[in-house]
Amino acid sequence: MRRLAHAEAGPSLALIKYWGKASAENNTPATGSLAVTLSGLTSSTRASFADADRITVNGQIQNLERFAPFLDSLRAELGLAGARFAVDSTNNFPTAAGLASSSSGFAALAGALTLLAGREPEPRLVSRLARLGSGSATRPVYGGFTVFEAGQEEAVAEHDENFWPEFRVVLAVVREGAKAVSSRVGMERSRLTSPYYDQWVSTSPSVLTGARKALAERDWNALGPLIRQSYLRMFSTMFSSNPPLIYWQPESMALIQALESLRAEGYQAWETMDAGPQVKVFCPADQAEALVKELDQRVSGLRFLTAAPGPGLRTWWDQN
Ligand code: DP6
């Protein structure tokens, strides 16, 4: 009987953004991020030993180029120099479309391979290993709210998934399908070419500190404007990169403007965006349903998903 190491993780959506690296080689962030691990959306990954590395995502064989450095570092870190892996991963939400599938995907992959290596998949180890795949993958090893500080090699738990039961995220899916420029390539382009990049990095710590305090106090009025400031400053470095990075679609802008009006009508609904056209809105649970109705009326043709703070990484053995 073949034993399969199985791991599941949810995507990590940043309230305060990581964009740019302190070290590209070590994949450490130039800006600290504060994120929430989402419930309901999962990357589910099974790994076993094999004769050659082979990875599928949603049944599709992957080009190993993106994964080879990660697998090699993991082999070195886990003392498995000669080992090769067969990995099958499934996302129950759109892959590589700016719904943070690389965060859940690499967290689940690091967790499954740690278990397969016979090591205890304790969160600090898995977070550090997941970083070698994707910086944002350090975070969803923990449930609830997490922080990945600038220059660090692992994320830390900030508040667990029960800390703020009234906290929701409405995801407005503007376009499905993979994005044109990956976060990795985009953030390096911003670092090298945006005249605003240094200011983005130097002004980030105070935004993060303010947001951590506002979150600890569950204070929408203080947290919301900092969430907005973080993604708009990040996008300023994207728009001013050369060539520019324009991830927005007309519907993204329409949603941003609709939310501006809805806030004026009394909603506590604060959007963020990542390296893609989707708009993600943080709001209180008792406003989520009405908010989706309002947004659906104002911007037609979108798919909406709602998530709450979810659990961290789970790992176990499957018998096959
Ligand atoms: C915009 O973690 O995907 O989603 O470390 O190069 O793999 P790499 O980048 P990645 O970048 C995430 C960027 C972001 C903001 C965030 O999640 O903090």
Side-chain angles (χ1 to χ4, degrees), residues 14 18-19 21 27 66 102 134-136 139 183-184 187 274:
Y18 148 48
W19 190 254
K21 295 178 199 295
N27 207 30
R66 168 75 176 92
S102 76
S134 218
S136 54
R139 300 181 312 222
S183 305
R184 177 151 305 184
M187 64 175 74
D274 294 290

Side-chain angles (χ1 to χ4, degrees), residues 158-176:
E158 183 84 342
H159 304 288
D160 73 17
E161 61 266 42
N162 304 313
F163 167 73
W164 196 353
E166 299 81 28
F167 189 94
R168 289 293 178 279
V169 184
V170 168
L171 305 155
V173 182
V174 166
R175 292 278 191 288
E176 307 210 9

